[in-house]
């Protein structure tokens, strides 16, 4: 079974009021998004993509990682998930493990643990709270939202029978604004 990591990094980061887009803002010595990309890559999955849109991530994406443009990024997260699914279908992957570009403290071990679940949908838990990354088997891709600013959480709410939780180490914080960046740096 072919399993691919996908980092969603297409959003506008509108709550972040810094001098540059939050994903390229410095966090512990390197651009914020590099932390998520490195963690996903470190999970050792079969392939990897970064979904981009609002900002050019340039050198933050290493060679060998697919850059997938989401021209509909402003319409919300569902469009990025759909771009990831299209990429996965083209590459003949059967499973996607999806995480967020603004969660720099989710380690590779969380990505790998979620990927290893046999469940159609598996979600990482940190201290009992569900957070990305999320494993999505191809059998559930058609159940993902097609539009709006919603992601796999909608699927998990509608079909809890398909979901398993995977306890993970790490800090699942989102860096949404400058205060978050300072607090966690």
């Amino acid at each position: 079974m072919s399993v691919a990591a996908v980092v969603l990094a297409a959003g506008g980061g509108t709550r972040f009021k810094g001098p540059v887009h939050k994903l390229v803002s410095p966090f512990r010595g390197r651009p914020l998004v590099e932390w998520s990309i490195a963690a996903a890559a470190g999970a050792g999955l079969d392939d990897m993509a970064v979904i981009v849109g609002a900002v050019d991530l340039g050198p933050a994406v290493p060679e060998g990682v697919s850059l997938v443009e989401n021209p509909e990024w402003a319409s919300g997260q569902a469009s990025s998930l759909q771009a990831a699914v299209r990429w996965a279908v083209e590459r003949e992957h059967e499973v996607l493990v999806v995480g967020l570009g603004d969660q720099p403290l989710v380690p590779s071990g969380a990505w790998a643990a979620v990927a290893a679940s046999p469940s159609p949908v598996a979600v990482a838990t940190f201290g009992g709270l569900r957070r990305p990354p999320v494993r999505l088997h191809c059998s559930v891709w058609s159940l993902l939202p097609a539009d709006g600013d919603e992601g796999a959480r909608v699927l998990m709410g509608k079909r809890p029978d398909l979901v398993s939780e995977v306890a993970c180490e790490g800090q699942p914080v989102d860096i949404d604004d400058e205060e978050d960046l300072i607090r966690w740096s």
Side-chain angles (χ1 to χ4, degrees), residues 10 58 66 134:
S66 297
V134 177

Side-chain angles (χ1 to χ4, degrees), residues 142-175:
S142 65
L143 304 175
L144 292 168
D147 53 39
D149 198 23
E150 298 180 301
R153 189 177 308 166
V154 172
L155 165 60
M156 291 186 286
K158 289 181 180 177
R159 293 296 308 272
D161 56 305
L162 299 175
V163 181
S164 68
E165 295 181 344
V166 179
C168 295
E169 302 282 325
Q171 297 274 347
V173 296
D174 289 331
I175 304 297

Side-chain angles (χ1 to χ4, degrees), residues 12-40:
T14 56
R15 289 177 280 184
F16 191 84
K17 304 298 183 201
V20 296
H21 191 284
K22 73 176 178 178
L23 293 178
V24 295
S25 293
F27 179 83
R28 298 185 182 182
R30 57 185 176 161
L32 176 69
V33 73
E34 281 188 19
W35 292 89
S36 296
I37 292 170

Side-chain angles (χ1 to χ4, degrees), residues 74-138:
S75 68
Q77 190 179 79
S79 66
S80 289
L81 269 178
Q82 293 300 320
V85 167
R86 287 190 298 276
W87 172 82
V89 168
E90 289 171 10
R91 304 282 284 229
E92 299 182 356
H93 297 303
E94 296 170 90
V95 174
L96 289 176
V97 180
V98 181
L100 305 178
D102 65 355
Q103 287 187 300
L105 303 177
V106 173
S108 296
W111 287 80
V114 169
S117 171
S119 181
V121 180
V123 60
T125 61
F126 300 88
L129 299 175
R130 289 181 171 185
R131 302 290 299 190
V134 177
R135 178 191 194 275
L136 301 166
H137 184 269
C138 61

